[in-house]
Amino acid sequence: MAIPVIMPRQGQSVETCIIGEWYKQVGDQVKTGDILFSYETDKASFEEEAKEDGELLAVFYEEGDEVPVLINVAVLGKSGESVEEFRPDGDSTEGSSVEQEEAPAASDATPAKEEKAVVLDEKPEGKIRISPRAKVMAEKMGVPYEKVKGSGPHGRIIAQDVEAASESIPKLTPLAKEKAQAESLEPAKETTGLGGRASASDLISYNPVYGDDFEVKKLTNIRKLIAKSMHQSLQNSAQLTHHMSADARQIMALRKSFKKKLEVGEVSQNITINDLVCLAVIRALKKYPQANTHFIGDSMRWFKKVHLGLAVDTERGLMVPAVKNADDLSIEGLSSQLSTVAGNCRKGSIDPELLKPEAASFTVSNLGNYGVEMFTPVINLPQTAILGVCTIVPRPKDLGDGVYGFVPMMGLSLTYDHQALDGGEATLFLREIKTQIENLSI
Amino acid sequence: MPKVQFIDPKDVRKAGEVTFNPIPVNQYNKSIEEEKANFSKEDFLRIYHDMAVIREFETMLNEIKIKSEYNGVAYNHPGPAHLSIGQEAAAVGMAYTLGVEDFIFGSHRSHGEILAKGLSAIHKLSDEQLTEVMENHFDGKTFAPVKANFKGTTKELAIRFLIYGTLAEIFARETGFNRGLGGSMHAFFTPFGVYPNNAIVGGSGDIAVGAALFKKVNRKDGIVVANIGDASMACGPVWEGLAFASMDQYTQLWEGDMKGGLPLIINIMNNQYGMGGQTCGETMGYDIAARIGAGVNRDQMHAERVDGYNPLAVIDAYKRKREILKEKRGPVLLDILTYRFSGHSPSDASSYRSKEEIEAWQAVDSIIWFGKELVDAGIATQDELSSINSGNTDLITWGLKLAIDDKVSPLMDMEKNPELIGEMMFSDSPVDSMEAGREAEVNHPLEENPRVKQLKNKERFAFDKDGKPFSKIKQYGLRDGLFEAIADRFYKDPTLIAYGEENRDWGGAFAVYRGLTEALPYHRLFNSPISEASIVGTAIGYAMCGGRVIPEIMYCDFLGRAGDEVFNQLPKWQAMSGNVIKMPVVIRVSVGSKYGAQHSQDWTALPAHIPGLKVVFPATPYDAKGLMNSALQGTDPVIFFESQRIYDIGEQFHEGGVPEGYYEIPFGEPDVKREGKDVTILSIGATLYRVLEAADQLQEKYGMSAEVIDARSLVPFNYEPVIESLKKTGRIVITGDATARGSFMKEMASTITELAFDELDAPPVVVGSRNWITPAYELEDAFFPQAEWIIDAIHEKIVPLKGHVVKSNFTEPEQIRRNKLGI
């Protein structure tokens, strides 16, 4: 009996994944535990192992395709077994046969079936009535049924309502899909097909001047996500950045002493400048809890603990994992956790839950290693602020008694949401960070 | 009905009178001295022994019930024990002359008869035969504990086997004669000629008639004795059995060697009480039960009363009556007078009779009296009798100990094999002929049959190649499909018989059997009395003995008349016998219309509710023939529903039409008659054609494509195809002509909801008949489901149809209102 291979769901918030690479081809014999394909979630990548022995009978999605989770992506079984029953709905590769199906459907619809499901902006009043079938279908298709208007008895949401709601998102007709792939065309914004689909005639060439002198690369899932959240951040908040610099001598001395301790084995963890800065930030946050918050419109979440987000640059793009309850940690513990989450991000094995912007209460982004002297970090909404840590540069400083010398100074750039914090509060908070860094003791 | 019998008004209107012959009462008057010529000492002692064994057996059960102890052995038996202490002479006298091939049927109070007939058979069988019987019964499972460590003779061993098998059965042990599934009131052992005893009073009154019919029709040796109580003479089915047993046609119309009466003795074990009622003087008016014979037929059933307290008197009567049966002048009615010392059951305090009365009967206790006679006549010494008595005490004590020993006599292990009983409900065995090798008696080759010739010219598919229907008369109809299957089996299985109220000559009120009268001799197809209890009851007895039979219930509404037979007897005996018995009975039940409240009901739910019956309801000629073939190939009881609305319907679905040859349609498989994708409509029976109308309208008016499924079977039923359809449509309407409340449609709706909840886009909706009387034909459209009702129900309960105007009320408030009122 053939069995489907589904796109697994990694974490509650993950709705779609992108196929990375197929390690097995259709026709290959597969053993339990063999890696079938790799895939990316929002911010991490995984590999899917075969759960049973068998032949890879069919693959429904290609590398780079975005696939909703829990959808069949492939079929394992015995040679010759039918795979049709596993083929995900609406993704038949036989464009023509689907077209044939559509023609009678259109004529069927003439007598009575024109009613369209309305997707409401708000939940309707009262209890939601939905048939078991419609509910299962909505969950599978990712349709938020709470907002679907029901057409069944007593306004019950029935299967046809969910189907119609899912179709209200414009898609390509099967023919258009085929043509678009073959000729590198894209749909125009205005579409003319059934159910708002783009039909073949709606396809336009991307740029008639350049012709095909470019390659269209699909955005990775993570890129899409970053794009979306960064854009949203700047659109939906009132961000501005204050810059200040802190005397880095104390912190550098601490770093030096930890390095020695590491060499002689007194500590097991390589304590970095960044770890020490994070410790200073945590201490400052304890004094200025208004910065350890989420701004959520008409209210704010004031966190009792510090959940520190750390911006990590990876091959796949920017990731911000959170370290939960960072204020409970010793410097060694903090260092260890920061390096673990950063490492997991780079390996792609990070728990997606930790990557949610809601997971952290404040974020630190350190570009010091790259020589950046000043920048305006973008807030990871709904957090109210983010600290950019810049490179250390020698600056002249009054050493007392009219003596000036060059002192290593670390740049600090605090971006905050003016909706949540006033300039004065932000300045005092930034100064507190500076003070903590300059007087850091373990 | 037969034309050969001319009813001449001159004759029947003549003046005259009905005269009766005197009915003998206790006429036996031989002394034991005189009987010495007929019985050896050994015979006399055996009679004594057998009576004493029964007394000890019943006494032991009485002690166990009352004191939970017998002879120092403690046991608690929670089940029933209807004892016959005091009736031993009647039982032994009845069984004494019977051969192994003679069958007895009994009642709830038949332990004594089982033992008496068993002991009689053991006496007559050779050691080799006995060993074979014991070794073969359930592969020696009953025998094994008995023979372990035993060193006596084979006959002694067989007696132990009889005692043990009966007792283990009473105690529900797996080693019992019927695996413990029958129990006290239903125990039996066919290899000794002991056929099922029956816990329904009078239950054997018609079943035994069917057994006698089997013996006669299939020319089997032996007679049949129906042991029923005096109180059962009030039961309708007993009278129906008497009517069936005494039909004139046996002597006036049946041909050749078949001419003559049934080899049957209705043996009234007249203990003078029925529960707490006294039959003579209180609850009946016959005074002497033998009087009944005078009202049944010209021969007065050769009835007589015999003193059942003298075993020799009973033996004498049986010797004389057997001669009558040999001359094919049966049936015989015997009124064997007896008395039970024990109550109806051990819980009965006998408050309805006086102590003096019991003591008076104990004073003439047949065992004590007979023993004294033997001693007085110098046939036996008191020591010999005492030795028999103490031997019996040992025997019963041994049997009790063995039967309650959980190690050698375990109960069925329902934990280890939870489906054990389930597996016994049906035999599910295909059998071409119930008596392979014997040729079927027919009047001519089937191809020469006028109906068969006529069918050659019929169109086996309803439409011509352009899709135009042939004229009704040209179409091969549903009744023709039934005919072909039944005719085929008549030629294959010599045991097959069919009967009903109008089967011969008329060919059935709906012409299913037209042509069979020409094909079959009288004894294979005949008209029965209009008495459904006997029609079904005799069929049960006929099948128990190994014959296949098609009784016909002309209107479904008459099924109630055979309530006990259909609900209590037919479904039970395969499992209750531990699968010793098979039940190849196909009851044809015709569902009417047009004739109002008592001729138009679809009662499919009733047999479907009773475990042990298979229930089918085909609606097309192809399905009717295929399902009838399956029914007649099987050995399970089938309630075969047919609808009078569609006997003439042609085959509209099966491509190529109804095949001429033999084919079977397996029971339990619903059939998709039309594919669709928006709603499933599941139909039971003749509503199929109204469903198709509804499907057409749904398509034309509302663009909705309906998948139409014909249930075809109710029990068994495979829900998988329905669920498959639901996966596609998500919606289902279930319809049929039965009144909706408590119908099988509701059963299906409930089961579908459990099995496919997540597939459902709306609740399964049942469209059945209204919960009323069926009105006159002119008003039927307001009662039976119509195509419009189905559409209304879809609109109201499943998905509103744009622009649809409802005609009937399927709203929820209305449903609540109707239920509140019970209508």
Side-chain angles (χ1 to χ4, degrees):
Chain A
M1 168 82 196
I3 56 151
V5 178
I6 60 162
M7 177 60 80
R9 179 157 76 176
Q10 295 287 353
Q12 284 299 315
S13 59
V14 179
E15 289 176 2
T16 60
C17 295
I18 288 179
I19 304 252
E21 188 180 341
W22 279 101
Y23 297 110
K24 297 287 177 186
Q25 307 307 321
V26 172
D28 284 359
Q29 290 300 322
V30 176
K31 285 245 170 326
T32 305
D34 285 358
I35 295 165
L36 295 173
F37 62 92
S38 64
Y39 62 97
E40 291 175 33
T41 64
D42 290 354
K43 290 197 173 178
S45 82
F46 299 84
E47 286 171 332
E48 180 65 2
E49 293 179 353
K51 307 267 190 318
E52 289 198 18
D53 294 359
E55 181 180 316
L56 187 60
L57 296 175
V59 165
F60 300 130
Y61 295 95
E62 299 306 318
E63 292 171 4
D65 281 350
E66 182 175 343
V67 183
V69 297
L70 305 180
I71 289 290
N72 295 344
V73 293
V75 182
L76 281 178
K78 280 196 218 99
S79 187
E81 281 182 297
S82 166
V83 300
E84 286 314 307
E85 62 186 289
F86 302 111
R87 191 176 292 285
D89 296 334
D91 201 73
S92 174
T93 50
E94 299 285 323
S96 54
S97 73
V98 173
E99 285 260 305
Q100 278 164 3
E101 268 173 36
E102 252 166 41
S107 61
D108 272 358
T110 43
K113 270 193 169 174
E114 71 243 11
E115 28 189 302
K116 245 189 185 173
V118 180
V119 181
L120 306 168
D121 292 334
E122 293 292 326
K123 280 189 194 180
E125 289 290 308
K127 197 171 163 248
I128 294 169
R129 284 169 179 260
I130 181 165
S131 77
R133 184 185 186 86
K135 198 168 181 182
V136 170
M137 193 182 258
E139 279 160 8
K140 267 194 189 154
M141 298 170 104
V143 173
Y145 63 78
E146 298 88 345
K147 291 184 180 178
V148 173
K149 184 163 181 274
S151 69
H154 310 296
R156 185 189 295 133
I157 300 161
I158 57 178
Q160 66 185 20
D161 306 324
V162 176
E163 272 170 354
S166 82
E167 276 172 14
S168 65
I169 308 148
K171 284 179 191 157
L172 299 180
T173 64
L175 182 66
K177 195 171 173 184
E178 207 170 54
K179 192 175 172 194
Q181 264 177 1
E183 300 173 33
S184 300
L185 300 176
E186 291 199 1
K189 283 202 171 162
E190 301 295 324
T191 58
T192 61
L194 269 179
R197 288 180 181 180
S199 62
S201 59
D202 298 331
L203 298 175
I204 51 164
S205 172
Y206 183 68
N207 187 327
V209 179
Y210 303 136
D212 58 358
D213 183 29
F214 58 84
E215 188 185 351
V216 176
K217 286 189 175 176
K218 279 188 185 170
L219 290 184
T220 59
N221 226 13
I222 181 167
R223 191 70 253 150
K224 280 189 208 164
L225 194 101
I226 295 168
K228 193 171 150 200
S229 64
M230 291 301 110
H231 183 245
Q232 270 181 358
S233 180
L234 292 176
Q235 288 241 309
N236 298 332
S237 65
Q239 303 193 12
L240 70 161
T241 309
H242 290 190
H243 303 283
M244 206 176 266
S245 53
D247 185 337
R249 283 179 292 173
Q250 168 65 6
I251 212 166
M252 288 168 83
L254 282 171
R255 156 78 184 145
K256 215 169 175 178
S257 84
F258 275 117
K259 208 171 173 184
K260 273 199 188 124
K261 284 183 182 172
L262 182 67
E263 279 160 16
V264 299
E266 279 179 43
V267 293
S268 56
Q269 189 64 31
N270 180 19
I271 312 288
T272 64
I273 293 279
N274 187 60
D275 297 337
L276 294 164
V277 170
C278 285
L279 183 68
V281 168
I282 291 164
R283 288 180 178 175
L285 280 169
K286 297 302 276 186
K287 289 196 171 173
Y288 287 86
Q290 61 266 51
N292 191 37
T293 52
H294 287 172
F295 181 78
I296 44 177
D298 54 357
S299 57
M300 285 174 65
R301 289 189 197 112
W302 288 57
F303 287 89
K304 298 189 182 98
K305 309 293 291 178
V306 176
H307 309 296
L308 190 67
L310 179 70
V312 178
D313 187 39
T314 74
E315 285 175 5
R316 294 173 189 80
L318 176 69
M319 297 190 189
V320 186
V323 171
K324 293 273 178 192
N325 303 324
D327 49 338
D328 290 344
L329 299 170
S330 68
I331 183 63
E332 279 186 74
L334 181 65
S335 169
S336 156
Q337 293 245 349
L338 288 171
S339 84
T340 303
V341 293
N344 285 347
C345 284
R346 296 194 176 99
K347 281 187 288 184
S349 59
I350 187 73
D351 175 359
E353 294 297 314
L354 291 178
L355 295 177
K356 286 178 166 179
E358 288 84 359
S361 55
F362 185 86
T363 297
V364 172
S365 175
N366 191 336
L367 296 180
N369 281 349
Y370 304 101
V372 172
E373 291 187 19
M374 188 194 276
F375 68 112
T376 58
V378 178
I379 298 174
N380 208 10
L381 292 183
Q383 296 166 36
T384 46
I386 181 169
L387 180 72
V389 181
C390 307
T391 191
I392 296 170
V393 291
R395 293 190 199 279
K397 192 183 175 184
D398 180 358
L399 299 176
D401 300 330
V403 178
Y404 284 80
F406 282 92
V407 172
M409 296 294 281
M410 174 185 280
L412 300 170
S413 304
L414 178 74
T415 298
Y416 62 97
D417 186 347
H418 215 327
Q419 295 178 105
L421 299 175
D422 280 337
E425 287 176 292
T427 308
L428 288 173
F429 171 55
L430 184 56
R431 185 194 290 275
E432 180 61 30
I433 296 172
K434 171 184 161 77
T435 309
Q436 287 288 345
I437 290 172
E438 290 176 348
N439 301 296
L440 195 63
S441 61
I442 304 300
Chain B
M1 201 77 240
K3 290 180 190 154
V4 293
Q5 289 174 335
F6 178 62
I7 302 177
D8 188 342
K10 270 192 294 193
D11 286 345
V12 295
R13 297 183 70 208
K14 257 197 293 210
E17 60 183 10
V18 177
T19 54
F20 296 94
N21 296 320
I23 291 176
V25 175
N26 302 330
Q27 291 283 327
Y28 175 83
N29 62 358
K30 282 182 197 158
S31 70
I32 203 138
E33 279 303 327
E34 289 171 80
E35 288 284 25
K36 275 185 181 173
N38 300 321
F39 297 90
S40 66
K41 176 185 176 179
E42 199 195 10
D43 294 336
F44 283 123
L45 284 181
R46 192 154 53 79
I47 293 167
Y48 180 85
H49 166 270
D50 291 359
M51 291 197 294
V53 166
I54 296 169
R55 173 66 58 88
E56 198 60 31
F57 187 92
E58 297 285 72
T59 302
M60 175 273 290
L61 283 174
N62 199 41
E63 308 253 302
I64 290 290
K65 283 303 286 185
I66 293 170
K67 300 191 234 159
S68 294
E69 196 217 287
Y70 165 78
N71 203 9
V73 183
Y75 184 62
N76 172 40
H77 170 55
H82 298 87
L83 306 175
S84 58
I85 298 172
Q87 301 185 191
E88 298 85 355
V92 172
M94 175 273 299
Y96 185 83
T97 55
L98 297 183
V100 179
E101 70 289 349
D102 296 328
F103 297 164
I104 64 165
F105 287 78
S107 68
H108 56 290
R109 197 182 307 286
S110 284
H111 297 163
E113 292 146 22
I114 298 169
L115 297 185
K117 178 68 164 69
L119 291 166
S120 162
I122 289 167
H123 177 67
K124 291 170 182 100
L125 287 165
S126 70
D127 286 0
E128 292 72 30
Q129 287 170 317
L130 284 171
T131 307
E132 197 188 324
V133 163
M134 295 189 288
E135 292 283 6
N136 286 345
H137 190 64
F138 297 141
D139 298 324
K141 212 169 182 179
T142 308
F143 190 31
V146 179
K147 72 173 172 184
N149 305 318
F150 183 74
K151 294 200 181 65
T153 66
T154 305
K155 294 249 192 252
E156 286 166 349
L157 188 57
I159 292 170
R160 289 182 161 228
F161 174 79
L162 174 68
I163 298 292
Y164 173 75
T166 309
L167 200 47
E169 182 60 31
I170 291 169
F171 292 157
R173 307 289 163 155
E174 201 181 10
T175 48
F177 277 155
N178 312 109
R179 299 186 207 267
L181 292 171
S184 165
M185 297 194 281
H186 315 103
F188 63 98
F189 189 64
T190 55
F192 289 164
V194 184
Y195 273 69
N197 297 303
N198 211 304
I200 302 296
V201 168
S204 291
D206 49 14
I207 291 175
V209 177
L213 183 68
F214 175 83
K215 290 228 182 254
K216 179 174 178 61
V217 164
N218 296 287
R219 298 184 177 83
K220 303 293 177 195
D221 290 339
I223 65 167
V224 174
V225 178
N227 289 308
I228 55 178
D230 45 312
S232 79
M233 296 314 294
C235 298
V238 174
W239 280 97
E240 296 198 14
L242 292 179
F244 196 106
S246 58
M247 291 190 289
D248 276 339
Q249 64 179 295
Y250 300 127
T251 51
Q252 298 194 15
L253 293 167
W254 289 27
E255 298 137 343
D257 66 332
M258 279 297 145
K259 197 178 178 74
L262 294 183
L264 173 72
I265 296 178
I266 301 288
N267 191 77
I268 302 174
M269 287 294 188
N270 188 351
N271 66 16
Q272 310 179 71
Y273 280 97
M275 286 299 293
Q278 202 166 314
T279 49
C280 174
E282 186 185 12
T283 60
M284 299 294 287
Y286 52 52
D287 179 30
I288 287 177
R291 184 189 307 276
I292 287 166
V296 174
N297 64 4
R298 295 172 188 83
D299 288 335
Q300 303 183 179
M301 292 188 76
H302 314 280
E304 76 177 79
R305 166 170 283 189
V306 177
D307 175 15
Y309 257 47
N310 182 349
L312 303 180
V314 183
I315 292 168
D316 171 73
Y318 267 81
K319 282 179 177 165
R320 288 184 287 110
K321 299 304 180 190
R322 179 177 282 277
E323 291 309 309
I324 292 171
L325 297 186
K326 263 191 199 159
E327 292 160 12
K328 299 187 187 175
R329 295 195 290 125
V332 163
L333 179 72
L334 280 176
D335 171 9
I336 308 288
L337 188 77
T338 183
Y339 192 84
R340 57 168 157 84
F341 302 156
S342 45
H344 167 78
S345 63
S347 59
D348 162 12
S350 288
S351 49
Y352 46 85
R353 53 183 180 176
S354 68
K355 205 166 154 255
E356 290 73 25
E357 179 185 296
I358 299 173
E359 283 168 0
W361 281 91
Q362 281 171 331
V364 295
D365 185 328
S366 58
I367 299 176
I368 296 170
W369 170 80
F370 189 65
K372 192 165 169 292
E373 287 281 297
L374 294 185
V375 173
D376 290 352
I379 295 165
T381 64
Q382 190 56 50
D383 284 352
E384 280 174 303
L385 300 184
S386 301
S387 152
I388 288 175
N389 290 343
S390 69
N392 285 342
T393 308
D394 292 347
L395 175 69
I396 300 300
T397 308
W398 164 86
L400 173 64
K401 279 187 189 161
L402 196 66
I404 64 174
D405 182 338
D406 291 338
K407 272 191 215 109
V408 292
S409 312
L411 298 171
M412 269 187 181
D413 192 341
M414 296 304 290
E415 264 178 45
K416 207 166 147 196
N417 303 306
E419 287 307 309
L420 218 50
I421 295 173
E423 286 160 12
M424 292 194 200
M425 292 307 294
F426 296 114
S427 44
D428 281 322
S429 48
V431 177
D432 287 339
S433 163
M434 294 303 292
E435 193 179 336
R438 177 154 72 92
E439 204 160 308
E441 279 172 80
V442 291
N443 293 338
H444 51 227
L446 192 55
E447 3 5 312
E448 289 175 17
N449 186 270
R451 175 100 177 258
V452 172
K453 285 184 192 162
Q454 190 193 37
L455 288 181
K456 289 243 180 283
N457 301 320
K458 292 237 179 181
E459 295 296 341
R460 300 179 83 94
F461 191 64
F463 308 106
D464 65 17
K465 57 181 183 307
D466 303 321
K468 237 183 77 204
F470 290 104
S471 69
K472 261 280 177 256
I473 194 79
K474 286 246 20 161
Q475 288 182 26
Y476 174 101
L478 191 145
R479 62 164 62 92
D480 300 318
L482 294 173
F483 166 80
E484 281 191 343
I486 292 166
D488 174 70
R489 188 65 56 176
F490 264 116
Y491 279 71
K492 270 185 197 160
D493 187 341
T495 71
L496 180 63
I497 60 171
Y499 48 90
E501 293 163 18
E502 29 48 313
N503 283 0
R504 196 165 181 95
D505 299 309
W506 193 338
F510 316 109
V512 172
Y513 290 162
R514 201 157 38 79
L516 285 183
T517 302
E518 291 84 338
L520 299 168
Y522 230 104
H523 63 275
R524 299 192 71 198
L525 179 77
F526 54 89
N527 297 324
S528 70
I530 298 197
S531 67
E532 283 75 16
S534 77
I535 292 173
V536 179
T538 52
I540 293 164
Y542 190 87
M544 273 180 180
C545 298
R548 189 172 257 148
V549 51
I550 312 176
E552 184 205 75
I553 300 294
M554 202 170 81
Y555 275 80
C556 180
D557 315 66
F558 309 162
L559 208 52
R561 278 282 172 111
D564 182 60
E565 287 69 20
V566 175
F567 302 146
N568 264 329
Q569 308 293 345
L570 188 65
K572 309 286 194 280
W573 286 109
Q574 292 202 96
M576 220 158 49
S577 71
N579 280 175
V580 169
I581 279 175
K582 290 193 186 345
M583 196 55 67
V585 177
V586 179
I587 306 186
R588 289 183 49 229
V589 178
S590 187
V591 178
S593 67
K594 299 185 192 174
Y595 282 19
Q598 296 176 329
H599 277 69
S600 308
Q601 299 173 88
D602 169 341
W603 275 353
T604 44
L606 299 181
H609 175 66
I610 306 291
L613 297 172
K614 290 184 174 176
V615 183
V616 296
F617 196 169
T620 71
Y622 174 75
D623 291 343
K625 181 175 175 181
L627 286 169
M628 182 55 87
N629 277 335
S630 293
L632 290 173
Q633 179 74 8
T635 53
D636 290 313
V638 178
I639 311 297
F640 200 100
F641 283 93
E642 301 161 12
S643 170
Q644 289 166 28
R645 297 165 186 264
I646 52 171
Y647 275 118
D648 62 352
I649 200 97
E651 178 55 44
Q652 304 177 9
F653 305 97
H654 187 73
E655 268 183 52
V658 181
E660 287 180 33
Y662 181 84
Y663 63 93
E664 289 173 16
I665 291 176
F667 278 13
E669 293 300 323
D671 188 41
V672 176
K673 295 289 192 231
R674 182 188 288 184
E675 290 193 7
K677 58 184 175 55
D678 297 325
V679 62
T680 303
I681 309 177
L682 174 59
S683 167
I684 299 173
T687 43
L688 174 65
Y689 300 94
R690 279 160 274 162
V691 168
L692 291 171
E693 265 177 60
D696 289 343
Q697 287 183 34
L698 283 168
Q699 185 67 61
E700 286 158 18
K701 292 193 194 159
Y702 307 105
M704 178 178 268
S705 99
E707 178 139 304
V708 179
I709 303 182
D710 181 0
R712 302 200 295 194
S713 298
L714 288 80
V715 184
F717 189 80
N718 178 8
Y719 278 94
E720 284 168 349
V722 177
I723 294 165
E724 274 314 304
S725 176
L726 262 179
K727 282 185 184 163
K728 195 162 46 165
T729 65
R731 303 151 170 175
I732 187 161
V733 176
I734 304 151
T735 189
D737 281 325
T739 51
R741 186 174 58 227
S743 65
F744 200 74
M745 298 172 272
K746 290 282 189 188
E747 157 77 19
M748 285 175 147
S750 154
T751 309
I752 287 165
T753 308
E754 286 173 32
L755 292 175
F757 186 68
D758 282 340
E759 304 297 343
L760 290 171
D761 205 20
V765 178
V766 168
V767 179
S769 293
R770 299 298 307 276
N771 299 312
W772 305 339
I773 57 162
T774 315
Y777 175 62
E778 290 80 351
L779 306 174
E780 272 186 355
D781 288 0
F783 175 81
F784 287 117
Q786 306 294 312
E788 293 73 26
W789 296 18
I790 294 168
I791 297 170
D792 289 348
I794 290 172
H795 175 76
E796 209 73 72
K797 295 239 174 89
I798 295 177
V799 55
L801 302 168
K802 207 165 184 194
H804 179 70
V805 181
V806 296
K807 288 186 187 139
S808 48
N809 195 338
F810 277 90
T811 62
E812 283 147 24
E814 176 64 4
Q815 197 172 356
I816 287 172
R817 185 190 75 87
R818 289 176 185 175
N819 275 288
K820 270 185 188 167
L821 296 173
I823 54 175

